[in-house]
């Protein structure tokens, strides 16, 4: 009889995904606590409005900027211009830092040329050499993209080197004994074996480039989220600063989630070797 | 037929002369004074206590490490690195986790620019040989220990290298699968005439497969005895089980076990 | 510093704090001449903090990290409009020829009117930003007719060299470098004559001013002393500025002369701070500046004139010159 | 007879270190090429001196600053003050980001609290929130150190999480079957197993903090290498800027080498598992 | 003596009831309807073809994975995770590369707060038992395959757990070392009375060690036959080699091999 059948709860070592876990609830609570403290702090006027604008005002400013734009450009324009610069830089990073890093890890001669250069410029603050970049590349988008590019290059480059160094020796010797030449080992073994590190590098690089956004938009920008925040800070518009910071934080998280998603799609074997 | 093969064998394909190896300048020699030649079409099995340097010896021939002293040659040239003509089955199979079973097996063919069509049939053939047809699209981390080992075997065999270097390839296999694999390897060897160096810890296996059995001792690792055998030809023709009971076999087996025991 | 310690709230008007913090900018005026005397004559330990622009001074004031500071009238107007608790008690200088609108020779521009369609660089939110916008307005040029780029002086110079920009409204020493292949269109001195006054002013945290009026008074007296030294022995004054800015004496004298210096007495006139009972035109200057910034949508709102009246406090000059 | 003995060249799989390798020579040549191009470019006056000062002048300025200091403070003071800020931040990073990251990797509830916060602030440009920091913490050293700390926190935190995620499951199950409790697994397995990733994170963080140095010393500093570069750029003293950049680049490399050295000492098993 | 042990055995220490396992919701069952009880002080050996689910079964008892259906109990409690009273020797030994051989072996004792002095003697004892005294301070990556396996064995045995779960622990050992290890394990078991689940692919080994031998088949993995044996007691008293020639042994061995062959 159908109703005598007992449904048995089944366990699987690889659990199916649940959409709302305890962890999600904890995260939501954390965010809620922060918003409530923020609201309370401003409600009880613990700080002046210049220091911490109340959530309501920030929201209002957001709506205003959304409908009217900020200083002659729509919010979408600001956001789009920034993202465009970021992505342009990011694409160049992928096209150059990945091969440069993998080759440097693979061939000690190439590393001998590139690593010291990267090691030298890597700790340099963008603000220290930005003037030089403007001198060489002008005040247009190219110097801005260059700055973001330089910020992103080093993390990817170094992650690739360290990825190559960590490859199991047997993966490589195995390939040789199966008939691969140096080039094939590079393409069919080094590259896939480094993918996990590569993605970590790309995610670091994206965050890092984002971090340089305000510096990049400091000079002669008329649009961009970074510029908006900087401009607002000149006029002590802390509500606009907050709006800008929220937009950067949230778009930053979104880009990162996108990369994470791609990572999971491309490297299903991660952590299962 | 046996004598024919013996004659062809005269040509050396691998030659180690007076090889010693230490893993670092301040540690003792792991191998000392190894003189070893592999003739064409020979099937050499290596026995020896754990840690005596069997894997190390194989790594030298594979070209992964170089002798600290002495020379290692492949044909007439010094061994300068790995090469597909010296195929290796590792003690711990380094399958590529980003490739599925069939892709792992196809790896060598792809490197050697076989067309996809040519490869497909070969792959199916070898998957069948190692009994993993059903696991074609599985990823290595979804396989059991013995299944991984069989994928690694297929991956190397499909390349049909001149020399096959195998480091305890059947170590994780149950009795039955092991017998099947032994039969398969023997068949391939008889048909394709590869030269095989086969490390094992199973004396029966060594005797039933090899044309020559080397026994190593440790401290430092060295070859202490060599046996010429031909049980593998009988095993190929008759039932394998039968050779285990023949007197010659039992005698040699006893002698080797005794040798290993007393060598310590 | 005085009043920094909330716990030690005390009603006695004249506390002597352990130390005070003064915010400086690299402007060749009385402040830098007087700097050498502070430690000895104010009678307290003095910490100096160097700021790049009025914007950072406003930030530090909000944080309560400094007691007395110098900044431009534009950032001062912003700060007051935003309700940062400080008062203007002194005018260090009125911007003269040290801030000007320069145009590159190759741009083919001969008057402000020709700037239409050109790129003009200016540090946003500074005195020169205000001056530039007004200069354009006076000539009837719409903001939309030109491209105004926000840049800091070093990048202005770099972009100028490359020909990325056609004009810039900046201050010394960058201004001088630009003029090597450029010419002046208008200076802040000329604008001041047309009522567009920009100045560098002294501000004091309101709480500090109430608790330690004596120190503020002494501070004003030292500015007077510097003014006198500049009028009587300009070489000596120039020398002390030169050593502060690490430039040679002739250069420093030249730059000092580009500024309009005011004595305390000047400042008490109608034209500037006025008196406690009747505040002068500078209140209006600040309010105008703020209004203008709202008009330009740089800030969102401006308080009543009364707020600016309250924020301008000539009482310390009155006390000092008594 | 003694002279009949033949010396045999011995090979070892683990090669002894050679002090001057081909790679070193290549690196030296690279650096030489850069210096020569620099020299040539200024000698032929391809750029104005304000844009790229000649090497000779930079060297002279370096010597001058070395003997006389820059704006009232000795070069060593500038360097020392910057390094002090950096190291203070770095020590705080080690003390907080490492446990936070390892715990977040180990316990999904802790991660649920911390990861979104880090994910949110991580892409934020220091320049965007520095104003806030100054407003909250004043213009003293604390806001500067805080900025450097925040720059360093995220890379270490994320590296630790990813390190924990990559640990072989068998290492952990093995420890449980040997009698370890959760706490012991953390201390005796998770921590050592993560060391390689931890060091990668620390090196990234140090470079990243360094990168933020100029921003940190932008407001109300009177000493510091970052401040020196920024101050010099206001007066277009490009020779001083170059001196500052060289000092930052070289000290950056040195700190990195130091960390690498420690890494090799502490994790001799790296890449040999 | 044998009958005494048999009586003590009545108490179940591990009990699997109707256990099935699938690695994911959309894949077939790897194990199906497994009913298995381990009695106290039993030595159960598991034989079966490669990929039949032996390791999976062991992982369930160890508490690494949970049955998709059915229940697994340790004593009277459901198995909720790993526990040192169920010690595990893995098929691929996860030695800690940051610890040397002695430290790896000490790991369990340290976790269980043994004093350094107490541990030292035990460690030396076990290092000797597995023949690695000379390698005390070596790092795992400086060991051969068989040596690693022996370290892993010592590391688990030194803990003296109630239940020992061993997944082909002697798989990479040569004949001699293997015999020594078998003898050692047998001795420990006789002295300390642990309950042992021992996966192997060597029928001789299973028969010469176990008090019970389980034979598994695959597709899906299930237990098809159980044998009670007692050769291990004879082996403990007489020469091990001798039992290999006794008729009972050969008969059972033949039967099992036949069973495995025909089960496919
Ligand atoms: N990378 C290494 N560094 C240092 N010593 C090593 C290294 N690899 C192996 N050895 C040492 O060399 C000796 C021989 O090791 P090898 O792996 O060749 O033994 P084996 O005969 O293959 O043993 P098994 O049968 O256990 O696999 C051992 O004593 C081992 O400790
Ligand atoms: N993580 C996994 N994900 C998916 N399938 C798995 C996983 N691990 C094992 N399997 C599958 O489960 C089956 C049994 O594997 P298991 O490792 O238990 O076999 P085994 O009996 O131990 O074999 P061997 O003797 O070769 O070690 C195999 O078919 C294998 O493909
Ligand atoms: N010359 C004044 C500069 S600022 O304070 O306006 O930035
Ligand atoms: Mg070996
Ligand atoms: Mg298994």
């Amino acid at each position: 009889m159908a109703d005598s059948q007992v449904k048995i709860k089944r366990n699987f070592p690889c659990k199916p995904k649940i959409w709302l876990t305890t962890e999600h609830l904890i995260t939501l609570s954390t965010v809620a606590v922060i918003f409530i403290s923020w609201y309370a702090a401003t409600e009880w006027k613990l700080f002046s409005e210049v220091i911490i604008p109340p959530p309501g005002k920030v929201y209002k400013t957001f709506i205003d900027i959304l409908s009217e734009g900020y200083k002659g450009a729509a919010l979408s324009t600001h956001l789009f211009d920034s993202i465009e610069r970021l992505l342009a830089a990011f694409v160049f990073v992928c096209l150059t830092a990945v091969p440069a890093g993998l080759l440097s890890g693979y061939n000690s001669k190439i590393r001998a040329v590139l690593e010291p250069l990267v090691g030298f410029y890597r700790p340099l603050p963008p603000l220290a050499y930005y003037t030089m970049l403007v001198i060489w590349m002008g005040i247009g988008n190219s110097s801005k993209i260059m700055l973001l590019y330089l910020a992103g290059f080093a993390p990817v480059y170094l992650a690739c080197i360290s990825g190559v160094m960590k490859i199991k020796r047997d993966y490589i010797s195995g390939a040789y004994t199966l008939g691969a030449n140096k080039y094939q080992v590079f393409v069919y073994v080094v590259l896939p074996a480094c993918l996990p590190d590569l993605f970590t590098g790309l995610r670091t690089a994206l965050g890092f480039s984002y971090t340089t956004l305000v510096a990049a938009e400091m000079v002669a920008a008329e649009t961009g989220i970074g510029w908006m925040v900087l401009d607002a800070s000149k006029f002590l518009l802390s509500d606009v600063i907050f709006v800008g910071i929220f937009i950067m934080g949230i778009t930053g998280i979104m880009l990162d989630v996108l990369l994470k998603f791609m990572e999971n799609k491309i490297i299903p074997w991660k952590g299962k070797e | 037929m046996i004598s024919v093969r013996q004659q062809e064998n005269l040509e050396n394909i691998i030659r180690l002369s007076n090889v010693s190896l230490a893993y670092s300048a301040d540690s003792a020699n792991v191998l000392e004074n190894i003189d070893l030649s592999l003739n064409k079409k020979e099937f050499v099995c290596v026995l020896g206590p754990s840690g005596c340097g069997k894997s190390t010896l194989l790594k030298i021939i594979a070209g992964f490490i170089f002798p600290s002293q002495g020379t290692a040659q492949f044909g007439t040239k010094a061994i300068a690195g790995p090469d597909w003509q010296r195929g290796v089955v590792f003690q711990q199979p380094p399958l590529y986790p980003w490739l599925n079973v069939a892709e792992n097996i196809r790896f060598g063919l792809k490197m050697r620019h076989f067309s996809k069509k040519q490869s497909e049939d070969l792959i199916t053939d070898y998957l069948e040989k190692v009994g993993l047809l059903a696991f074609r699209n599985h990823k290595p981390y979804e396989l059991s220990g013995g299944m991984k080992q069989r994928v690694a075997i297929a991956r190397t065999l499909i390349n049909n290298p001149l020399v096959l270097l195998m480091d305890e390839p059947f170590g994780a296999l149950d009795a039955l699968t092991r017998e099947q694999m032994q039969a398969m390897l023997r068949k391939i060897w008889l048909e394709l005439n590869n030269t095989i160096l086969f490390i094992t810890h199973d004396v029966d296996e060594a005797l039933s497969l090899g044309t020559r059995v080397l026994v190593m001792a440790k401290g430092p690792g060295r070859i202490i005895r060599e046996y010429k055998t031909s049980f593998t030809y009988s095993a190929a023709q008759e039932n394998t089980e039968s050779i285990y009971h023949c007197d010659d076999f039992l005698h040699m087996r006893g002698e080797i076990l005794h040798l290993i025991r007393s060598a310590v | 510093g005085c009043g920094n310690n909330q716990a030690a709230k005390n009603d006695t008007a004249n506390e002597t704090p352990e130390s005070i913090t003064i915010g400086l900018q690299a402007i060749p005026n009385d402040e830098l001449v007087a700097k050498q005397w502070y430690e000895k004559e104010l009678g307290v330990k003095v910490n100096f903090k160097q700021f790049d622009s009025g914007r950072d001074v406003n930030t530090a004031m909000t944080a309560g990290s400094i007691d007395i500071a110098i900044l431009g009238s534009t950032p001062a107007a912003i700060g007051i409009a935003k309700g940062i608790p400080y008062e203007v008690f002194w005018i260090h200088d009125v911007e003269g020829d040290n801030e000007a609108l320069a145009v590159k020779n190759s741009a083919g521009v001969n008057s402000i009117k020709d700037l239409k369609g050109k790129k003009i660089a200016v540090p946003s939110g500074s005195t020169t930003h205000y001056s530039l916008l007004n200069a354009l307005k006076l000539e009837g040029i719409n903001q939309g007719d030109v491209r105004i780029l926000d840049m800091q002086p070093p990048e202005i110079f770099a972009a100028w060299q490359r020909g990325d920009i056609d004009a810039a409204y900046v201050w010394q020493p960058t201004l001088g470098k630009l003029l090597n292949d450029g010419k002046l269109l208008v200076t802040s001195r000329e604008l001041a004559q047309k009522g567009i006054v920009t100045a560098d002013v002294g501000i004091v945290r309101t709480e500090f001013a109430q608790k330690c009026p004596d120190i503020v008074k002494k501070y004003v007296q030292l500015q007077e002393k510097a003014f006198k030294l500049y009028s009587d022995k300009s070489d000596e004054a120039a020398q002390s500025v030169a050593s502060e800015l690490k430039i040679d004496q002739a250069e420093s004298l030249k730059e000092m002369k580009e500024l309009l210096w005011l004595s305390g007495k000047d400042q008490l006139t109608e034209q500037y701070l006025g008196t406690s009972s009747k505040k002068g035109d500078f209140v209006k200057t600040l309010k105008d500046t703020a209004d203008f910034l709202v008009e330009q949508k740089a800030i969102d709102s401006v308080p009543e004139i009364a707020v600016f009246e309250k924020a301008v406090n000539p009482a310390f000059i009155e006390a000092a010159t008594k």
Side-chain angles (χ1 to χ4, degrees), chain C residues 114-130:
Chain C
D114 297 342
L115 283 174
K116 274 193 184 157
K118 301 284 182 193
K119 287 187 196 162
I120 314 168
V122 70
S124 190
S126 70
T127 43
T128 51
H129 188 197
Y130 176 69

Side-chain angles (χ1 to χ4, degrees), chain A residues 13-14 272, chain B residues 132 135 138-150 172-174 177:
Chain A
C14 323
K272 290 184 185 162
Chain B
L132 292 174
F135 294 88
H138 283 229
K139 286 287 172 85
Y141 48 86
E142 295 170 339
L143 303 180
S144 77
M147 288 155 87
K148 278 184 214 158
Q149 230 177 16
R150 283 180 278 156
L173 299 180
D174 64 289
T177 317

Side-chain angles (χ1 to χ4, degrees), chain B residues 23 30 48-57 59 91 167-168:
Chain B
Y23 274 98
V30 166
S50 173
C52 71
K54 303 182 293 294
S55 299
T56 306
L57 180 70
K59 282 190 227 157
Q91 194 166 6
D167 197 349
E168 307 192 14

Side-chain angles (χ1 to χ4, degrees), chain B residues 108-159:
Chain B
L109 300 179
K110 188 164 169 191
M111 294 306 105
R112 293 167 52 223
H113 308 291
F114 277 54
S115 77
K116 198 150 187 152
K117 242 189 94 218
Q118 275 175 300
S119 321
E120 273 319 308
D121 297 344
L122 269 173
I123 292 167
T124 309
D125 187 25
Y126 275 88
L127 275 171
E128 198 173 350
K129 281 195 168 108
V130 297
L132 292 174
L133 259 183
F135 294 88
R136 189 182 194 106
N137 297 318
H138 283 229
K139 286 287 172 85
Y141 48 86
E142 295 170 339
L143 303 180
S144 77
M147 288 155 87
K148 278 184 214 158
Q149 230 177 16
R150 283 180 278 156
V151 176
I153 292 166
R155 183 170 80 157
T156 304
L157 289 183
I158 203 173
N159 244 348

